[in-house]
Amino acid sequence: MGQILLILLLQLLYVPVLTLRTIMLVKGKTVIAGLFGTLETLIYIFALGIVFQDLTTLGMVVYAVGFGLGILVGGFVERKLAIGYNMIQVHTQEFPAELIQKMRDSGYGVTHYQGQGRDGVRYRLDVLAARTRMKELRQLVEHYEPKAFLVAFDPIDFKGGYMMKGLRRPK
């Protein structure tokens, strides 16, 4: 029974490390990704070694269930860390002057555009925000423009602009 619990615990550790390695690689933090990759491989080999040492159906099922649960844990960890930034586009039907001012007062850099949609003039706000502030930004938009359409992108790199003085660039 001890080996079964160990397999489960190793999988609950392995998959979040795998998740973090992938995130670091995507964010361009290759040295940290390499360190996570080394740890990930050690855990993987150790856990698989335990499963193959005493190959039972229960051991294989626990290994698979641990992997699935590890994905849930990895996703939770990733959301809590919220590494990096999002570029958010806020689309509205009316010019959102009050929202723009409130965003700027809250420390967001906002660039606004006017365009032509199917049913007339539309407005777009571009906002760069740390992922840790996404919930706050969504609440702000919801309060001032409840019918707004939001879309977020993960910028790979950025340079210059008003916000660069206040933002710490991702490494």
Side-chain angles (χ1 to χ4, degrees), residues 15-69:
V15 182
V17 170
L18 180 154
T19 302
L20 291 172
R21 187 230 343 131
T22 304
I23 291 166
M24 293 303 158
L25 196 58
V26 168
K27 299 290 183 184
K29 299 180 180 193
T30 54
V31 172
I32 296 171
L35 293 172
F36 276 129
T38 302
L39 179 60
E40 171 192 339
T41 302
L42 287 171
I43 296 167
Y44 175 77
I45 291 170
F46 190 63
L48 212 51
I50 293 170
V51 171
F52 284 145
Q53 181 181 347
D54 185 24
L55 196 58
T56 64
T57 303
L58 179 61
M60 291 184 286
V61 168
V62 168
Y63 185 87
V65 168
F67 190 90
L69 292 174

Side-chain angles (χ1 to χ4, degrees), residues 11 29 33 39 41-42 51 74 85 107-108 114 116 120 122 124 127 132 138 141 146 157:
Q11 286 298 85
K29 299 180 180 193
L39 179 60
T41 302
L42 287 171
V51 171
Y85 299 93
Y108 297 103
Q114 179 178 325
Q116 186 67 38
R122 297 293 183 257
R124 185 181 90 200
V127 184
T132 54
R138 280 178 170 269
V141 171
D157 192 22

